[in-house]
Amino acid sequence: MAASENNGAVERPQVRFVTIDENNHGQRIDNFLVTFLKGVPKGKIYNLLRKGEIRVNKKRIKPDFRLSSEDVIRIAPIVVAEPSDKPTVADGLKQEIESRIVYEDKGLIVINKPSGLAVHGGSGLSFGLVEVVRQMRPQEKFIELVHRLDRDTSGLIMVAKKRSVLKMLHEALREKEGVQKTYNALVIGSWPKRKLQVNAPLLKNELKSGERVVRVHPDGKESLTRFKVLRAFDGYTLIECEPVTGRTHQIRVHAQFAGYPIVGDDKYAPNEANAEAKQLGFKRLCLHAAKLEIDYGGEKLVLEAPIDDAWKEAMQALPSKY
């Protein structure tokens, strides 16, 4: 960062030396610098690497060089955006997220994310869940999302406090072994008990407006979701959803493809059905990450989070079939 001011003198960027610890062991130098040099364009970073103005252990390195613990990075003088440029998260939101932590240790935080909060800033948002956690835990050198939830989806989400934990969980998610995620969803219509899965390829599309939508298409990626009926109401069904693959909007699109879109889904459910559900008290996307099972630290960690009170109360007012 820029040197601090002395007696009103103009700040001047200085050479900096950074020693790598276990949190960044094995990380590519370019990815490390993108995070470390906040506010510096990627092109500028690659240019500095190419010119040898960023070195590791006094040697020129390429962007794909992997760092090791105790490596010393020399960074030439460069102007970087000050941390004070970051938006400050309101204390009320930090307190709410603190109250929603269902598990925390030295390497992992699991939070019951509220509906309506994005997981990270961008696309017009000053901050998201990960930025909130970074301001809640300023002493932590490493805070990164393990996976994502859509902004309007609530429920359990993992945030790593160590790179080793992030890598372990990423590998588990990639290999589909060691992490199992289970969701609850309220869908429009009477989901048949015999409908236990949807196996349909999903293709991402971007509309001219920039909006991202997903649809079932033979050219898409293989996608499988398992379903189970939990409770049936008059015109609605509460179901359990287990995404075997992890595609964008997978549960939402597979539910729509089966003929039973999720309540409150403004992308994939009919407007008139959503309007009717709103009058019944369902004012959000009724999709919730309810359970996480993680092989972690040599044992199985099982975490659960209930759906929010407003959704629960609206559902209890529905005529029940069974």
Side-chain angles (χ1 to χ4, degrees), residues 36-64:
F36 185 77
L37 298 175
K38 291 288 188 185
V40 178
K42 281 186 179 180
K44 175 78 169 176
I45 290 171
Y46 285 110
N47 193 36
L48 291 167
L49 286 166
R50 194 162 46 247
K51 289 181 175 180
E53 294 185 48
I54 296 177
R55 300 188 179 213
V56 177
N57 303 330
K58 301 182 180 179
K59 297 178 182 177
R60 287 176 175 255
I61 35 71
K62 293 183 177 180
D64 61 357

Side-chain angles (χ1 to χ4, degrees), residues 8 14 17-18 22 29 32 41 50 76-77 121 127 145 148 168 259 313 320:
Q14 298 178 349
F17 294 90
V18 182
E22 63 174 11
I29 182 70
F32 170 81
R50 194 162 46 247
F127 57 83
L145 292 166
R148 299 185 180 192
M168 181 269 290
E313 288 168 10
S320 181

Side-chain angles (χ1 to χ4, degrees), residues 17-305:
F17 294 90
V18 182
T19 302
I20 295 303
D21 61 21
E22 63 174 11
N23 283 323
N24 301 104
H25 179 85
Q27 188 179 21
R28 282 175 50 140
I29 182 70
D30 55 350
N31 292 334
F32 170 81
L33 291 169
V34 165
T35 301
F36 185 77
L37 298 175
K38 291 288 188 185
V40 178
K42 281 186 179 180
K44 175 78 169 176
I45 290 171
Y46 285 110
N47 193 36
L48 291 167
L49 286 166
R50 194 162 46 247
K51 289 181 175 180
E53 294 185 48
I54 296 177
R55 300 188 179 213
V56 177
N57 303 330
K58 301 182 180 179
K59 297 178 182 177
R60 287 176 175 255
I61 35 71
K62 293 183 177 180
D64 61 357
F65 175 85
R66 293 198 177 270
L67 297 164
S68 299
S69 295
E70 305 304 323
D71 279 348
V72 177
I73 306 174
R74 178 197 183 276
I75 303 174
I78 181 172
V79 177
V80 184
E82 289 295 326
S84 58
D85 293 338
K86 298 176 184 177
T88 301
V89 177
D91 289 340
L93 179 55
K94 286 191 279 190
Q95 289 167 8
E96 181 185 0
I97 298 304
E98 191 76 50
S99 72
R100 287 173 165 270
I101 293 174
V102 298
Y103 178 85
E104 182 172 10
D105 64 14
K106 292 181 179 179
L108 178 68
I109 307 178
V110 181
I111 298 166
N112 179 15
K113 184 187 83 69
S115 175
L117 177 64
V119 293
H120 59 77
S123 300
L125 299 172
S126 299
F127 57 83
L129 178 71
V130 70
E131 288 84 13
V132 176
V133 176
R134 284 171 182 157
Q135 292 194 30
M136 287 166 49
R137 299 288 186 272
Q139 75 281 7
E140 298 290 347
K141 295 180 180 178
F142 185 89
I143 295 283
E144 294 292 345
L145 292 166
V146 175
H147 59 115
R148 299 185 180 192
L149 289 177
D150 292 336
R151 179 176 181 176
D152 294 325
T153 301
S154 58
L156 298 172
I157 185 165
M158 297 180 283
V159 180
K161 294 161 67 178
K162 287 187 176 181
R163 180 162 292 280
S164 57
V165 172
L166 181 70
K167 288 173 69 176
M168 181 269 290
L169 292 172
H170 274 177
E171 184 176 354
L173 289 166
R174 188 168 55 250
E175 298 298 325
K176 303 178 183 64
E177 187 174 343
V179 176
Q180 183 172 322
K181 296 182 282 188
T182 306
Y183 293 73
N184 291 160
L186 186 69
V187 298
I188 299 163
S190 299
W191 188 287
K193 280 189 173 182
R194 67 182 181 278
K195 184 74 172 175
L196 300 178
Q197 68 175 39
V198 172
N199 189 351
L202 297 178
L203 183 67
K204 278 195 282 191
N205 295 276
E206 193 165 301
L207 305 179
K208 288 182 180 179
S209 62
E211 182 184 6
R212 184 173 58 181
V213 293
V214 179
R215 61 193 175 103
V216 172
H217 192 280
D219 293 336
K221 292 182 179 179
E222 180 183 357
S223 306
L224 172 64
T225 309
R226 297 192 179 107
F227 295 97
K228 176 184 175 182
V229 172
L230 296 177
R231 193 173 173 192
F233 303 93
D234 186 14
Y236 300 91
T237 313
L238 182 66
I239 59 173
E240 183 178 275
C241 321
E242 181 193 332
V244 178
T245 50
R247 312 301 182 200
T248 300
H249 296 174
Q250 178 175 315
I251 294 173
R252 297 164 64 180
V253 179
H254 274 175
Q256 176 212 37
F257 182 69
Y260 308 93
I262 295 175
V263 169
D265 194 334
D266 58 7
K267 279 184 188 285
Y268 304 110
N271 290 335
E272 60 275 14
N274 277 335
E276 185 177 329
K278 265 187 182 175
Q279 290 184 336
L280 295 172
F282 298 104
K283 302 185 185 301
R284 52 158 292 185
L285 173 69
C286 289
L287 179 62
H288 176 72
K291 187 175 181 181
L292 263 177
E293 297 174 71
I294 315 166
D295 291 340
Y296 183 66
E299 58 184 49
K300 183 173 281 289
L301 189 63
V302 179
L303 303 170
E304 296 185 77

